[in-house]
Amino acid sequence: MNHTTKLFIALAFFAIGNIALAQEMSFEEYNPPSTLKVPEHPVQRAKFPFVDIHSHQGGINEEKIDQLISEMDEINMGVLVNLSGRGFGRGNSNTQQEYIQSMIKEFNTHAPGRFMVFTNLNFAGFGDENWTRLAVKELEEDVAAGASGLKIYKSLGLNVNDVNGNRVPVNHPDLDAVWAKAGELGIPVIIHSADPAQFWQEMDANNERWLELKTHPNRQRGADNPAPFEQIIAEQHDVFAKHPETTFINAHMGWMANDLDAASAHLEKYPNVNFGIGAVIAEFGRQPRRAKEFFEKYQDRVLFGKDAYNKEEYYTYFRVLETEDEYFPYYKKYHAFWAMYGLGLSDEVLKKLYYKNALRIVPGMDKSVFPD
């Protein structure tokens, strides 16, 4: 075998090896750009001014407010609702109340009418005989200081424990006075309970959230960690049933955006409940006809929200809701490895979703920021 033949064989093996390697890649790596040629209508500014009912902001000062206002004006956000009024549970009640009062003052001084703040509960000492009385008192004080609603983090039902170390269920009776007081004060309660059901399921080829669990392993839960998904959700629904005079916003569509029949039944059963669409836009984007039907039927019960704040990510929300574009990408593969389709909602439905429902539900919102 001469040198040329040996070289040819070596190159052939090298080429075959490269082909084999090209066929071996991870799911994360395989993300080819679409070759589909269809009309595209990217949207970087909402058709109407909108309320983001679900945002989390910290470090509020004049510089941060100026930055937010600049970006809000770019994308046509009329009002941002900061759900982290007391931060994320850091410090004692006095510190938390000073924090929310300072935040409200900063917002009202530098950008009056453009920000609303929801307060939170301090679960330290839960189970003590005085906890409920103090929680109700502080809720009244925070509302008197300018808070427009109450936000309940998913920690309730997952990792909030009482003074004896026991998990506090979402429907614990010591919380009944808080839900009732919110109703008396006329403020909404936006509540996030549990996480997507797939976090409790086996992490295998049948789990649609496999990539998210692989990249964020701390999100995976065992069947009873700390309680079954179905139990936590049932506890939340029990609160809705026991407090019909209180207005609730079920955050993240109550994890029913992938089952709009269940979501419809939920709204029919609980007339005091509304849905926030934060972090579930990808579910609508893969069922545009069914989702459009849902939004049209329940146009008075849905509120726009984003959750994690990122100006560029709003563009996908606008495009899904406003256009009839086909097969365009989502911005996080681990949330949705499928493409999006636009719902093409009518102006009437968009206005309710974007701002009219929020104006009706959240007290004290500046109506002059929005059209009629």
Side-chain angles (χ1 to χ4, degrees):
M1 185 181 298
N2 60 36
H3 176 74
T4 302
T5 303
K6 289 180 179 178
L7 179 61
F8 175 79
I9 292 172
L11 290 172
F13 275 111
F14 179 76
I16 292 171
N18 277 349
I19 292 172
L21 285 173
Q23 293 173 343
E24 295 289 336
M25 68 176 72
S26 68
F27 180 68
E28 299 97 305
E29 292 174 306
Y30 184 68
N31 194 26
S34 172
T35 60
L36 185 67
K37 303 299 180 185
V38 289
E40 298 183 5
H41 306 90
V43 184
Q44 296 186 0
R45 180 177 171 83
K47 188 173 186 179
F48 302 106
F50 68 95
V51 176
D52 185 345
I53 198 69
H54 195 140
S55 191
H56 297 284
Q57 303 291 335
I60 301 302
N61 54 32
E62 184 175 4
E63 181 181 2
K64 177 69 174 288
I65 292 171
D66 288 345
Q67 175 193 344
L68 286 170
I69 288 293
S70 176
E71 294 184 352
M72 289 164 63
D73 288 345
E74 283 185 52
I75 61 177
N76 208 14
M77 187 192 303
V79 172
L80 181 150
V81 179
N82 186 15
L83 301 182
S84 303
R86 286 185 170 221
F88 291 92
R90 292 180 290 270
N92 58 34
S93 287
N94 288 338
T95 302
Q96 291 177 8
Q97 288 194 292
E98 290 172 3
Y99 180 88
I100 190 172
Q101 291 169 12
S102 173
M103 177 188 296
I104 292 171
K105 181 179 179 181
E106 289 289 316
F107 281 144
N108 291 342
T109 298
H110 302 295
R114 298 298 299 276
F115 297 91
M116 307 292 284
V117 178
F118 280 27
T119 188
N120 317 113
L121 295 180
N122 182 354
F123 286 103
F126 190 94
D128 180 272
E129 62 180 2
N130 292 314
W131 187 90
T132 299
R133 179 182 62 79
L134 291 173
V136 169
K137 172 178 174 289
E138 290 175 12
L139 178 61
E140 291 178 311
E141 291 171 350
D142 288 352
V143 171
S148 304
L150 174 64
K151 157 67 173 176
I152 303 298
Y153 296 116
K154 67 179 180 181
S155 54
L156 178 62
L158 288 178
N159 52 34
V160 170
N161 294 325
D162 65 17
V163 291
N164 297 313
N166 300 312
R167 182 185 76 94
V168 176
V170 181
N171 61 345
H172 194 289
D174 286 2
L175 288 162
D176 283 334
V178 174
W179 313 133
K181 178 56 66 174
E184 291 175 21
L185 294 171
I187 60 168
V189 178
I190 183 167
I191 180 169
H192 172 176
S193 296
D195 268 326
Q198 295 89 343
F199 289 5
W200 276 261
Q201 296 168 2
E202 290 294 324
M203 183 183 167
D204 58 22
N206 295 312
N207 193 321
E208 203 169 44
R209 296 262 183 169
W210 176 87
L211 180 58
E212 182 171 2
L213 294 174
K214 182 177 184 292
T215 55
H216 299 76
N218 62 313
R219 298 183 182 180
Q220 186 177 13
R221 296 183 177 276
D224 295 318
N225 179 15
F229 169 82
E230 294 79 8
Q231 179 179 336
I232 298 171
I233 294 300
E235 292 168 359
Q236 183 204 58
H237 295 183
D238 184 47
V239 171
F240 299 156
K242 288 197 297 185
H243 297 278
E245 302 304 315
T246 300
T247 298
F248 292 93
I249 302 169
N250 199 343
H252 312 300
M253 288 279 292
W255 307 119
M256 289 178 273
N258 63 328
D259 185 351
L260 293 179
D261 287 345
S264 299
H266 185 72
L267 293 181
E268 294 293 337
K269 186 174 183 178
Y270 305 111
N272 56 324
V273 174
N274 306 272
F275 278 138
I277 68 167
V280 293
I281 194 71
E283 298 292 358
F284 307 132
R286 63 172 170 171
Q287 51 175 334
R289 290 187 293 275
R290 178 68 181 91
K292 182 174 184 176
E293 177 186 277
F294 177 87
F295 278 104
E296 288 175 344
K297 183 173 182 179
Y298 297 104
Q299 57 188 269
D300 297 315
R301 309 281 295 279
V302 287
L303 295 92
F304 183 93
K306 172 69 179 63
D307 198 358
Y309 181 85
N310 182 302
K311 186 187 72 173
E312 287 73 23
E313 292 176 357
Y314 285 93
Y315 305 163
T316 300
Y317 279 68
F318 304 152
R319 193 174 181 186
V320 168
L321 298 171
E322 297 182 17
T323 80
E324 294 183 342
D325 282 4
E326 297 183 292
Y327 205 81
F328 53 92
Y330 186 64
Y331 50 81
K332 283 181 181 176
K333 187 180 179 185
Y334 72 78
H335 271 176
F337 52 85
W338 52 84
M340 302 288 101
Y341 293 81
L343 279 57
L345 296 177
S346 68
D347 286 358
E348 180 183 9
V349 174
L350 280 174
K351 287 178 180 179
K352 290 182 177 181
L353 173 65
Y354 275 165
Y355 66 91
K356 286 189 174 182
N357 293 338
L359 287 176
R360 185 183 75 252
I361 290 170
V362 182
M365 194 170 287
D366 186 355
K367 293 179 172 60
S368 68
V369 178
F370 304 95
D372 294 333

